[in-house]
Amino acid sequence: MTFGIRELSVIQTALQLKKRSMAFNKTWQKVHQDYQIGTVHGKELHLTSKELEYLERCIYAKQVKVAPEQSLNLESDRMDLLNFLKDEKSGGYSVFGDQLVFASVHAKLPLKQGDVTIGYKGLVPTIYANELCCKKIEKLIIVENGTMLTRLFDWYEQLPEEWRDSLFLYRGQGQNARQVFELLAKLPDHTKIAFYGDLDPFGVKIAAHFFKRREMSILIPSCWKELSRNHVDNNTTKFFEQINSGHDLSVDTTQSLAFRNLYKHLQINQIALMQENVNRLGPLIELKMD
């Protein structure tokens, strides 16, 4: 049975401190169940000195090349993990999981080593956040669905003209999403940011999640007030799947009035339009969250 790098880090700490009792968390439950070592006492797992020795010699050392005293870097990629692990894949590392995914038509991607032209149809470069020159990012549009990045040249002219020279960034999932939030924290105050996503309860809630981290606008079709449940692109099945999940944003006074009114319109008219369908509705407008 193999352990991921975070599990190995937990085991490493116990070996470094020569701990013989530890909280019976998921890592130690796995150790106990798979190797039949340790005794459970309430919410703790207790190991004998011989079991601790076995843990190091027969479990930890089978996966790790170095002694427990040498720290593991949880953020290492597969090349660096080879310095520590016998199988770099056991680190649970996703090759592109920690990278940001961009696209552009006019804006260059500002890297510490120089600005890069990426405005080519279908090009979606990935990069580590620490390679970016964040202070040079003037406008950023976070896009909910990756397909919209690959098809950027097909729809970017629907944006308000002042947003067309933005960098476009996929909002990510899992590891990618964490990197997006970290990037938002690093961007300078002068950077203009907008979110463009599905026009449905989930899409608006994703936007609300971003608003908590950083002030930004939302991009929506200019005809949004005219949309009803009978629109050819509307998916009422999706609406009913989503509307009962989470709290009612239309009455959330921590949100701006413009945002609450948008959510209320979706509620009343039972609207759920996927981003690709939103793209069929024509020009987009910027809804500011004042």
Side-chain angles (χ1 to χ4, degrees):
M1 178 61 66
T2 60
F3 293 89
I5 191 168
R6 295 187 185 279
E7 294 170 322
L8 289 170
S9 181
V10 171
I11 294 171
Q12 178 195 42
T13 299
L15 294 174
Q16 287 175 337
L17 300 176
K18 308 233 180 267
K19 290 178 66 175
R20 291 176 51 185
S21 64
M22 54 283 295
F24 196 42
N25 58 29
K26 290 183 178 180
T27 298
W28 295 111
Q29 288 171 22
K30 186 173 178 180
V31 170
H32 178 63
Q33 292 168 6
D34 294 345
Y35 291 93
Q36 299 297 303
I37 63 172
T39 305
V40 179
H41 291 271
K43 295 183 179 180
E44 290 186 337
L45 181 70
H46 292 187
L47 298 175
T48 65
S49 57
K50 286 188 177 181
E51 286 174 328
L52 198 64
E53 186 179 317
Y54 176 84
L55 180 68
E56 179 176 351
R57 187 181 68 254
C58 300
I59 299 176
Y60 187 80
K62 281 190 174 180
Q63 280 192 243
V64 183
K65 296 177 179 179
V66 297
E69 290 72 27
Q70 186 170 341
S71 296
L72 299 173
N73 183 352
L74 299 183
E75 307 305 323
S76 297
D77 63 19
R78 283 172 59 175
M79 292 290 286
D80 289 335
L81 284 174
L82 281 170
N83 295 321
F84 300 96
L85 305 180
K86 295 183 178 180
D87 180 0
E88 82 286 358
K89 293 180 182 179
S90 67
Y93 179 83
S94 171
V95 176
F96 298 107
D98 284 336
Q99 295 190 331
L100 297 167
V101 185
F102 286 96
S104 171
V105 177
H106 300 296
K108 291 187 176 182
L109 185 63
L111 304 181
K112 291 176 180 177
Q113 56 188 307
D115 296 349
V116 179
T117 299
I118 62 170
Y120 299 100
K121 189 173 183 178
L123 178 64
V124 284
T126 62
I127 192 74
Y128 290 112
N130 60 9
E131 297 293 336
L132 291 170
C133 184
C134 296
K135 65 182 180 181
K136 295 176 70 174
I137 297 178
E138 299 293 332
K139 299 176 189 175
L140 181 73
I141 295 178
I142 301 170
V143 179
E144 181 176 348
N145 299 312
T147 302
M148 300 300 287
L149 282 190
T150 63
R151 299 290 296 272
L152 175 60
F153 277 70
D154 295 338
W155 62 267
Y156 85 96
E157 290 183 336
Q158 292 176 279
L159 291 164
E161 190 169 354
E162 64 270 24
W163 283 99
R164 294 177 190 174
D165 58 349
S166 303
L167 271 175
F168 296 80
L169 172 66
Y170 174 49
R171 61 109 174 177
Q173 293 180 327
Q175 288 173 271
N176 301 93
R178 288 193 292 274
Q179 296 302 316
V180 171
F181 285 123
E182 289 180 14
L183 173 63
L184 290 179
K186 294 176 183 177
L187 290 175
D189 292 340
H190 72 259
T191 303
K192 292 181 62 179
I193 308 171
F195 177 81
Y196 178 37
D198 294 342
L199 193 65
D200 60 18
F202 276 6
V204 176
K205 285 175 180 176
I206 292 171
H209 194 46
F210 279 113
F211 298 158
K212 290 180 180 178
R213 306 296 185 98
R214 178 70 184 253
E215 182 178 328
M216 63 182 70
S217 301
I218 184 171
L219 298 167
I220 56 175
S222 59
C223 63
W224 70 274
K225 291 182 180 179
E226 302 164 21
L227 297 172
S228 69
R229 75 184 307 275
N230 295 322
H231 192 280
V232 65
D233 291 318
N234 193 42
N235 189 332
T236 53
T237 300
K238 282 286 184 185
F239 171 82
F240 286 113
E241 287 175 358
Q242 296 181 11
I243 196 61
N244 294 319
S245 175
H247 71 289
D248 184 352
L249 290 180
S250 69
V251 294
D252 185 349
T253 55
T254 65
Q255 304 293 339
S256 73
L257 181 60
F259 191 78
R260 283 181 278 155
N261 287 340
L262 172 63
Y263 193 82
K264 190 66 176 179
H265 182 77
L266 300 185
Q267 277 184 322
I268 293 172
N269 293 280
Q270 300 175 358
I271 292 171
L273 290 167
M274 304 304 102
Q275 194 169 20
E276 292 79 3
N277 284 324
V278 172
N279 190 42
R280 286 160 41 91
L281 299 178
L284 300 168
I285 60 170
E286 176 186 3
L287 186 65
K288 295 184 178 181
M289 300 294 106
D290 298 329

